[in-house]
Amino acid sequence: MQYSADGQSDGAVTAPQPGFLASVFRDLGVEEPTAAGPSGRPPGAPDGPSSTAGPAPDQLGAGGDEDVAAHARAAALTHHRTLTVQAEHERLADLLRRSALPVSAMDFESQLRRYEPRPYPDGAPPTAVGADPEPRWEDYAPAEPAASDPDGPPVRRLLDSDYQRGLAKARLAHQRALREWRTRQAEAGSPAADESRRAHDEAEQARARAVREYNDSLEECRRAYRLAEPAAVESLLERALAAAETNTRDLPAPCRAVYRPLTRTAVLDLDLPPLDVVPSLTGYRLAPDGEVLPVPRPPADRASDYLRLVARLALRALQAADAVDTDEILAGVVLNGWLREPGGALPLCLVSVDADRDALARTRLLPPTDPEEEPDGEGVYADAEQDEALVRLRQLDAAVSPDPYGRAGVEPAAQAAATVPAAPDLSANEFAQLVRELLTRGGLGQWSVRLRGPVGLVATGEGPVGSALPGRWVVWASRGEGAVGEEEIRTLAEAVREESAERGLRLTTGRFTDGALDLTGEDGHRHIHLVDGDGVRELTHTHLGLSFAAGH
């Protein structure tokens, strides 16, 4: 607004000058106020009076300046809070990159220590008294100058100034070396020097002994690991899992291991990061009334980002377990990812993987390319359905929560409650591995799985003549507490005829009804053999020498 020389307003309104407020408007994506015309209205506005006109020019004053200042402060606060949210997004992107870095194998060879002796602190190895020779003048004396007249007298060199200067320097160097030698001789024979050398030698011997003892204990652990002792296998796995966390120490995701000799399976319990590791906001915006409002992210985007992080942590743990098992002790790995929230709430399983060794070998567990070079310019926030880590996790038939923020959990593939499991504690792969191991130990070879599900399997096998299980068999094995009735026995008899087999085996970790037991005694079903939970326990003890609890 223009003012006359006497300080009174002349009624003319001028356009705002470019400056701080203009830059704030641009940062917020708001168009700058248009310049007013000579009449005080924006260009194109009617010249007549308006019912929505603002206050008269003489009413503007300190109150208007305060409103502008308040608006500027709100804009600055909005900008500051948005930068904070952007920093949270950058941290998440960095975590996604680092969690996908390759894992170094923590096998026994990489853990061996090597002893390298350290020299005595004076820089030279200790020597006995008298072994250090006395400095000789012949080693310091300068070469004599060449005589111009070979037949002339030797006093000619006395007149050579360069030779005399070199001779003086050589005498000083020889005297200095002689003093140092005598000092060393005196110190070498002193009790303090002897004690210092002795302490150094004892410290070196202790270091060498500690390295030797550590390597001996490591070799003992290797021997126990090759014998598949649970404590040794679990110790090796947990060291490998801890080493895999090196790249993301700022995101604790501890993983515990339980090894079950019965099925040669490791069950890993992975603690997942809290849900708030993924930002819930896109930023902040400034409302027309000056209020700073948060801009929430779509729930689907936030859930996708969290699952992408979970997938990388799960694949990293699987890779660490697979890489450390150089002697192929493990037949499979089960991984359960648990969300543990404060307040005493029960942990929630958000991801579960049940993979045998062949599946792990067929699956490249981590993305082959640099995570910083995502295709199509999508960066680390690519669609979850196209995310490489999640795709590879699903290739392992993993169960993944559809909505972690809605607390939608999945059923764990196996329980890691005990080293000696009951039937409900086993995963589908574990149960199939146990049945195959029992029957092949009993003489049933040429094993071929036809159907397999969460609760059982159907397979065929053939035993040689004279074995405990001769001929061609159809095996139907299941686990559960329910009793197996007559209908399932008839179904198995039909499968035996369709497969042109000679016998059928119905195995369950539960029990059979009286009707089923009576049916197998009839002439048409005598070729059907039954094994209940007690029989399974007896077979595991006989063929594997291990315990198995068939029920709860």
Side-chain angles (χ1 to χ4, degrees), residues 382-421:
D383 185 3
E385 294 300 323
Q386 305 299 324
D387 181 70
E388 188 73 18
L390 276 169
V391 169
R392 296 189 178 189
L393 200 61
R394 292 190 173 101
Q395 289 174 351
L396 295 173
D397 294 328
V400 182
S401 168
D403 184 9
Y405 290 92
R407 305 305 193 268
V410 298
E411 187 69 24
Q415 297 291 340
T419 303
V420 179

Side-chain angles (χ1 to χ4, degrees), residues 4 30 34 40 116-117 121 128 138 165 169 199 296 316 322 411 463 502 512-513:
S4 61
V30 180
T34 55
E116 295 181 1
E138 291 80 1
R165 284 194 296 269
K169 292 181 180 179
R316 185 177 70 180
D322 181 63
E411 187 69 24
E502 300 172 7
F512 296 96
T513 64

Side-chain angles (χ1 to χ4, degrees), residues 144-163:
E144 295 184 0
S148 58
D149 184 6
D151 299 330
V155 297
R156 177 69 180 173
R157 62 186 179 182
L158 298 176
L159 303 178
D160 191 331
S161 59
D162 292 337
Y163 174 74

